Amino acid sequence: TLRLRRIKSDAACSVYSVEEETVEHLFRDCEFTKKVLQEVGLDTSHINASHTWKQWSASFFQTNNIKICTTMAITIWAIWYNGNRLYYEGKKESVQEVVNFIRAYLRELGQVKSSIKTRLSPREVFWRPLKEDQVKANFDAAYSRQDMTATAGVIIRNHEGFVMGACPYPLGRIGDPTTTEAKACLHAVIFGEEMGFRDLVVEGDSLTVIKKLKSDSVDRSVIGNIISEIQRKKLSFGTLSFEYTPRKTSEEAHALATREYNLDNPSYWIEEVPTKIEPIIANDQIRL
């Protein structure tokens, strides 16, 4: 208490000035505290009030869940803070004001926890299982801002995730990143066609390109001709589908494009591809 710490000589309760302000009184027995506890929904009637504060609080925290314990901890802090403000600043808050403070703090804490959980939750699925007769082509591209040239990278895997083929493909001079991604997607389809696959799933991290390919409407944008060419390739397959995938899934395809950036012609690897491709990204290249 403030008296034991020699901050105040009067031992009376700071709120009602009736009983001695012991720790037990401040956090448990004071009528002000009881009203606050009741308003925030904390039931302490099952705990022996003759116990010392340490015994009483230990019993409470051992017999309640984390949500109730959190509310009690914040309530204790709010009551202590209110008492200090009353003594040092002469500001006396009502029960409802203290309760509102506690509820607002709990809401804010809940929002922070929700935000952290959202950031940490593994919501992105980096590998979607395929049917046994399907293969998947992941495409990405490296784009040079300095000379406006680009290279596509394509990696094809079977339903078990094993690499069936890979190809870095120079795209030449291109005016914008969206066209770069569209052409990379086209070469992924062409590569799958040339390898003779009949059921191909094409994945990329360009949401714009994937949305256009999944749409039934005619695309009249700057990449409309490329989208149309890709759609016509469906005649070469039993099934040709397109899926958006998080950037994490396309890292190897992007690494392939950046690693082989200075190629003049496509370079194909069939079946045997290095198991690990380290990304090499120059200062004038950007991830698309």
Side-chain angles (χ1 to χ4, degrees):
T1 64
L2 295 177
R3 184 173 67 88
L4 292 177
R5 291 161 60 193
R6 297 182 181 180
I7 295 176
K8 59 181 289 189
S9 57
D10 185 6
C13 171
S14 299
V15 180
Y16 290 123
S17 301
V18 176
E19 300 181 45
E20 182 181 356
E21 191 181 67
T22 61
V23 175
E24 289 80 2
H25 176 81
L26 176 62
F27 295 126
R28 185 188 66 193
D29 301 331
C30 179
E31 289 301 317
F32 184 89
T33 300
K34 288 180 180 179
K35 291 176 182 177
V36 172
L37 293 173
Q38 183 179 5
E39 286 294 322
V40 296
L42 293 173
D43 180 18
T44 60
S45 60
H46 62 288
I47 302 177
N48 192 336
S50 64
H51 287 170
T52 64
W53 165 248
K54 287 184 179 180
Q55 293 171 328
W56 185 89
S57 58
S59 178
F60 181 89
F61 284 105
Q62 288 171 359
T63 56
N64 287 286
N65 60 41
I66 186 65
K67 183 177 180 180
I68 294 176
C69 290
T70 300
T71 303
M72 174 59 87
I74 294 172
T75 301
I76 291 172
W77 173 65
I79 290 171
W80 170 82
Y81 179 71
N82 179 62
N84 279 357
R85 288 194 71 190
L86 177 59
Y87 180 78
Y88 289 108
E89 302 175 25
K91 296 181 180 179
K92 186 175 182 179
E93 294 187 338
S94 66
V95 169
Q96 195 56 52
E97 287 175 321
V98 175
V99 169
N100 290 342
F101 173 83
I102 294 168
R103 288 173 177 168
Y105 196 95
L106 285 168
R107 281 195 301 271
E108 184 177 349
L109 182 62
Q111 291 169 356
V112 171
K113 287 182 177 179
S114 177
S115 176
I116 293 173
K117 184 177 180 180
T118 299
R119 290 197 297 268
L120 296 181
S121 294
R123 300 190 335 187
E124 296 179 338
V125 179
F126 296 141
W127 176 257
R128 298 180 181 90
L130 298 170
K131 296 177 183 178
E132 189 171 349
D133 55 348
Q134 284 182 317
V135 294
K136 181 181 293 185
N138 286 96
F139 70 89
D140 208 340
Y143 183 74
S144 172
R145 286 183 281 198
Q146 184 175 0
D147 55 14
M148 298 178 68
T149 59
T151 301
V154 180
I155 296 181
I156 297 180
R157 298 180 177 88
N158 65 9
H159 68 284
E160 294 180 313
F162 292 113
V163 175
M164 305 296 290
C167 174
Y169 198 101
L171 300 177
R173 190 174 179 84
I174 296 181
D176 64 275
T178 303
T179 302
T180 299
E181 288 285 358
K183 285 195 172 184
C185 181
L186 172 60
H187 286 295
V189 175
I190 292 173
F191 189 26
E193 179 186 22
E194 291 176 346
M195 289 189 69
F197 297 120
R198 295 289 300 160
D199 194 342
L200 180 65
V201 179
V202 180
E203 282 191 347
D205 60 18
S206 174
L207 188 58
T208 299
V209 172
I210 298 300
K211 277 186 174 181
K212 290 179 180 295
L213 288 168
K214 292 169 76 74
S215 174
D216 294 328
S217 60
V218 178
D219 182 52
R220 303 186 186 281
S221 69
V222 67
I223 61 172
N225 290 336
I226 303 173
I227 296 299
S228 296
E229 186 176 354
I230 295 172
Q231 296 285 17
R232 288 195 295 270
K233 288 290 184 182
K234 287 183 177 180
L235 298 175
S236 302
F237 297 87
T239 303
L240 176 62
S241 59
F242 304 92
E243 298 292 338
Y244 170 77
T245 189
R247 235 167 220 200
K248 185 73 175 177
T249 314
S250 303
E251 280 187 349
E252 290 180 351
H254 183 75
L256 188 61
T258 56
R259 187 169 187 169
E260 305 296 336
Y261 191 78
N262 294 319
L263 283 179
D264 294 324
N265 297 295
S267 177
Y268 296 95
W269 290 294
I270 308 300
E271 294 183 355
E272 294 185 2
V273 181
T275 57
K276 184 177 182 182
I277 305 175
E278 296 292 343
I280 302 175
I281 305 176
N283 292 332
D284 63 339
Q285 295 171 1
I286 59 173
R287 177 67 184 272
L288 302 175

